[in-house]
Amino acid sequence: MDSILCDELVQEIFRRLPPPSSAAVSLVCKKWLYLLRSSTTSLSLCFIQPPFLPSFTSFLRFHPFLSTVSVTVTSTVDSSDQLLLSVASSCPKLRHLRFLNCPVSSLSLLSLSASCPNLVSLAVTLFRPLCFLWLTPFKSLKELSIYSAGNSGELDSGGLDFVGPCELNLESLLLTGIQSSDKGVGFLWRNCKKVRTLKLKSCEGVGDQASFLAFLECLEGLQEVELRTCRGIADGVLLKLAESSVMLNSLLLYDGGSKEGLLHFLGQSKCGVSLQNLDLRLPLDLDNNHLTAAAENLGSLRSLRLQSCCLVTGEGLKILGNAMANGLEELALINCDVVERESGLLTTLGQDLKRLRKLDLSFNDMLLDKELISMLVSCNNLNELKVRGCKKLTNLAMVSLAKCCEKLQSVDVMYCCGMDAQGVEFFVLNSPNLRLLHVEGNKVSDVARTWASHKSIEVVA
Amino acid sequence: MVKLKSNDDKEFEVEEAAVIQSEMIKNMIEDGCATSVIPLPNIDSKTLIKVIEYLNKHINMGKAAETGEEDDLKEFDEQFVNMGWEELFDVIMAANYLNIHELMELCCQSAADRLKNKSVRAVREMLKITNDLTEEEEQEIINDAPWAFEGPEIDDTVN
């Protein structure tokens, strides 16, 4: 191969090899070793035991064109800073780095900024006290993910934080485990004027009092917000978003937000015109009042996802469905017992929501065939359906699916124990546009498997 | 019709609709440089026949999708790449030179699929490559990054 093809074409072939075959070709001969190393741009390394540092460094140095590196160490290590420094000094062309599980110091992050000036996205774990001054020299950084670890035992350098303003170019920010005592976060809020996407996970707070005002200001320009298990701050964030955010496009709320807080947001927020995606998971107090408020105020909604809502009834959902008849393209009612409780609800929703493209009814384990089928009859434009874990559904549902929804491209029937290989086979053979099917391997007959491979249908178990 | 000439001086006539799947020839036609025979000094007639066969079959890609002939095309592609290594490399080089994106993709993927999960010994034998790495060097590469070599079972057969 090397005598006929030029280096560039050999590398073209190497690029299509999955690991570890790509590593194996490096042992074929010296030229291939060189060609492979100089064409590798992305590496994902996961260590159970920390690697031997010199060999880790030399391994990285053999790959001078790395632009994406992911390093995860699953055991506790003392040498995390050295590992990061090794990456920093060995990969000058780095643009994306994930360095997870082992906390690193500000000092080594500063070295990283000096060695890898083109870094666009970075995910790291930090010790407390949190400090973000090291971000200043990262001029190209657009995406930052921070995971906070335990205390390093160092003294809080709080005062150091009050340096002059410096503009950060971050557009997307993910923070995990922030507490109200974390003074350092204020630096982020004060200097991230360009952030459009904010994701907070398991945050009890957003920093101390001084940080809070800056945080509120930061919320105004956001387009996408995710709050996961942030009970302590969810209401405050919702209130501010409702008041001042006119650009908000997407909101995900998982386990947080009081009854009143949510009602105020859904009914009064100024982002009614811009909000297109709403995803509420485990909103314990969500009831029909909320849905009515959303129906009146959120006219631009394209995607509504509700998960584990136990207080809403069919009445509320019908009002919502009716109000959003011409807009809604995606609906998810996951583990919502109203779906099983109220016969005929799905039929009405199906008839109203003419533009529905994606439907997710997963984990409604008492959902019956006739309920689903009477909805699908009206949903001819559906191209994605998930009924994962709907245990009562049978082959009958599969047959109607193939008949009513010709445009389906992606279907998930994992853990539907009422269906068997026969139903799956019928569905696969009679769905002209199917591209992706999630189903248990033992429910795929030989006929279905052959057909799927012939039609480029991906079957995922 | 467009006339192509291989490096062993054989001429082939190809429909314009087929031949413009080659970015290179498409550009030549657009620039008005394809009025007479287009000489292809890097491609022999045996390889050019294969390439033209592919171009003619793929001439109406869009139409095939509409009429449900995609499967037919997929089957053709599978048969098409069923050739020896040397022939495959010749086609890859021709596809690269003529800039036929889909053909390039098809053949490189086929080459990668043939190398996938093969043992080092099998790869050397298949492609008649002489090993110039000493045993120590080989061991060093593995020892440096043992994690990179962990994966599915390796196939030692040569085919």
Side-chain angles (χ1 to χ4, degrees):
Chain A
M1 170 150 138
D2 49 348
S3 56
I4 308 172
L5 293 182
C6 63
D7 294 352
E8 205 183 307
L9 293 176
V10 175
Q11 288 174 326
E12 199 61 47
I13 294 167
F14 285 174
R15 262 193 275 281
R16 290 169 170 81
L17 281 172
S21 290
S22 53
V25 296
S26 65
L27 298 174
V28 168
C29 62
K30 278 184 182 162
K31 188 171 166 194
W32 278 32
L33 177 66
Y34 166 76
L35 288 177
L36 179 80
R37 287 174 168 176
S38 56
S39 68
T40 304
T41 57
S42 166
L43 274 182
S44 179
L45 306 169
C46 186
F47 301 105
I48 297 162
Q49 289 298 317
F52 180 54
L53 202 59
S55 73
F56 178 70
T57 308
S58 68
F59 178 76
L60 289 174
R61 292 216 168 131
F62 283 133
H63 299 85
F65 296 101
L66 285 175
S67 72
T68 302
V69 170
S70 165
V71 178
T72 312
V73 185
T74 50
S75 58
T76 39
V77 279
D78 300 327
S79 57
S80 56
D81 278 322
Q82 282 99 311
L83 280 179
L84 182 65
L85 288 174
S86 161
V87 174
S89 62
S90 315
C91 312
K93 294 186 189 318
L94 211 56
R95 292 174 59 80
H96 307 278
L97 175 64
R98 293 174 64 77
F99 194 86
L100 296 182
N101 272 11
C102 33
V104 289
S105 71
S106 295
L107 216 56
S108 50
L109 285 162
L110 276 172
S111 303
L112 180 70
S113 73
S115 326
C116 307
N118 300 318
L119 214 59
V120 177
S121 78
L122 173 66
V124 282
T125 309
L126 299 181
F127 274 125
R128 290 212 150 74
L130 296 177
C131 170
F132 293 95
L133 290 174
W134 52 269
L135 273 171
T136 319
F138 279 103
K139 289 298 174 207
S140 309
L141 204 62
K142 298 268 190 274
E143 275 185 58
L144 177 67
S145 306
I146 297 293
Y147 300 83
S148 45
N151 216 308
S152 68
E154 281 172 41
L155 284 175
D156 194 336
S157 56
L160 243 180
D161 191 36
F162 292 96
V163 287
C166 84
E167 195 166 324
L168 301 176
N169 291 318
L170 291 175
E171 291 170 5
S172 170
L173 191 56
L174 164 74
L175 300 177
T176 301
I178 303 296
Q179 300 168 356
S180 42
S181 56
D182 289 324
K183 289 183 189 166
V185 191
F187 176 80
L188 273 184
W189 303 135
R190 278 194 299 281
N191 297 298
C192 288
K193 302 290 181 209
K194 296 178 184 165
V195 168
R196 295 292 169 262
T197 300
L198 176 66
K199 299 178 182 183
L200 300 176
K201 202 174 165 190
S202 307
C203 293
E204 292 168 18
V206 289
D208 64 349
Q209 203 66 44
S211 311
F212 193 69
L213 289 174
F215 169 71
L216 292 180
E217 228 168 90
C218 193
L219 287 176
E220 288 176 19
L222 294 178
Q223 292 172 0
E224 191 185 345
V225 174
E226 286 188 11
L227 299 172
R228 293 171 196 262
T229 55
C230 300
R231 286 191 182 181
I233 55 169
D235 270 345
V237 174
L238 285 177
L239 186 68
K240 184 63 188 175
L241 285 176
E243 264 174 23
S244 58
S245 174
V246 286
M247 300 206 288
L248 193 68
N249 174 277
S250 182
L251 174 71
L252 184 148
L253 190 62
Y254 168 56
D255 189 16
S258 70
K259 186 171 184 169
E260 296 72 28
L262 208 52
L263 187 62
H264 179 261
F265 176 81
L266 294 174
Q268 309 292 323
S269 70
K270 288 186 180 161
C271 55
V273 197
S274 60
L275 196 70
Q276 298 199 337
N277 308 300
L278 181 62
D279 192 335
L280 303 176
R281 305 181 187 183
L282 208 70
L284 288 176
D285 303 315
L286 192 84
D287 61 23
N288 287 349
N289 291 331
H290 294 93
L291 297 185
T292 315
E296 282 168 10
N297 186 43
L298 303 178
S300 303
L301 226 50
R302 293 281 169 274
S303 163
L304 175 67
R305 300 181 58 87
L306 299 177
Q307 190 172 331
S308 310
C309 305
C310 49
L311 297 179
V312 295
T313 70
E315 197 192 338
L317 283 169
K318 283 176 191 171
I319 292 172
L320 196 70
N322 195 275
M324 308 207 160
N326 293 317
L328 217 58
E329 288 168 8
E330 176 175 9
L331 176 68
L333 298 169
I334 301 166
N335 185 27
C336 292
D337 56 354
V338 59
V339 170
E340 308 150 357
R341 217 168 46 215
E342 295 202 24
S343 166
L345 166 65
L346 289 182
T347 319
T348 314
L349 288 177
Q351 284 165 351
D352 278 342
L353 300 171
K354 288 290 176 217
R355 301 183 54 174
L356 214 55
R357 298 277 185 281
K358 293 183 181 179
L359 178 64
D360 189 342
L361 297 171
S362 295
F363 302 108
N364 292 302
D365 46 7
M366 301 301 283
L367 177 65
L368 300 173
D369 283 335
K370 64 171 175 128
E371 293 292 323
L372 178 67
I373 293 170
S374 63
M375 178 180 194
L376 293 177
V377 176
S378 316
C379 295
N380 311 108
N381 290 319
L382 225 52
N383 56 35
E384 196 182 305
L385 176 73
K386 290 183 182 168
V387 287
R388 184 176 276 239
C390 295
K391 296 176 190 163
K392 292 274 175 173
L393 294 179
T394 70
N395 290 346
L396 217 56
M398 288 306 258
V399 173
S400 320
L401 209 54
K403 283 186 179 151
C404 303
C405 308
E406 273 199 357
K407 294 181 183 166
L408 273 177
Q409 293 181 357
S410 164
V411 171
D412 186 341
V413 289
M414 219 49 178
Y415 314 122
C416 294
C417 42
M419 298 175 183
D420 63 22
Q422 215 183 346
V424 172
E425 183 180 306
F426 181 89
F427 178 69
V428 169
L429 264 54
N430 291 284
S431 301
N433 292 305
L434 194 65
R435 285 288 161 269
L436 179 64
L437 177 67
H438 288 264
V439 69
E440 289 91 336
N442 60 13
K443 289 187 188 171
V444 188
S445 66
D446 290 342
V447 178
R449 198 174 294 283
T450 315
W451 184 266
S453 87
H454 197 63
K455 289 277 185 183
S456 326
I457 301 171
E458 193 185 345
V459 180
V460 182
Chain B
M1 286 298 208
V2 177
K3 278 186 189 167
L4 306 177
K5 190 163 88 180
S6 64
N7 63 4
D8 43 355
D9 279 336
K10 294 199 173 114
E11 283 188 16
F12 300 87
E13 282 204 333
V14 195
E15 269 184 66
E16 191 175 316
V19 86
I20 55 165
Q21 294 173 76
S22 153
E23 282 293 320
M24 182 195 101
I25 295 180
K26 189 179 163 199
N27 290 339
M28 284 179 80
I29 292 174
E30 279 168 5
D31 299 343
C33 313
T35 43
S36 57
V37 185
I38 302 176
L40 302 171
N42 298 334
I43 307 175
D44 62 19
S45 56
K46 200 177 108 216
T47 309
L48 191 54
I49 290 170
K50 283 296 272 183
V51 173
I52 292 172
E53 183 195 350
Y54 176 90
L55 291 176
N56 282 333
K57 188 72 192 181
H58 279 250
I59 187 169
N60 291 324
M61 279 277 278
K63 232 190 239 172
E66 280 166 29
T67 54
E69 283 169 31
E70 277 170 316
D71 306 335
D72 192 33
L73 210 56
K74 209 180 158 217
E75 213 172 292
F76 168 82
D77 283 354
E78 270 168 33
Q79 285 300 316
F80 183 82
V81 290
N82 187 9
M83 51 176 114
W85 278 105
E86 275 184 39
E87 228 181 326
L88 184 68
F89 293 153
D90 286 339
V91 177
I92 289 179
M93 278 193 299
N96 183 50
Y97 173 65
L98 292 167
N99 200 354
I100 309 170
H101 181 75
E102 303 267 334
L103 181 58
M104 185 71 185
E105 183 67 33
L106 174 69
C107 294
C108 287
Q109 189 58 55
S110 166
D113 289 344
R114 292 175 196 200
L115 296 178
K116 200 164 69 184
N117 300 340
K118 287 282 178 193
S119 73
V120 175
R121 194 194 60 82
V123 172
R124 283 190 199 122
E125 203 166 312
M126 276 194 297
L127 294 168
K128 302 183 182 62
I129 296 174
T130 322
N131 178 22
D132 53 2
L133 290 162
T134 62
E135 238 172 76
E136 289 77 37
E137 282 171 326
E138 259 183 59
Q139 207 48 54
E140 207 181 300
I141 298 168
I142 298 173
N143 288 346
D144 266 356
W147 64 83
F149 294 89
E150 287 160 12
E153 239 173 86
I154 280 175
D155 177 5
D156 204 28
T157 56
V158 183
N159 53 39

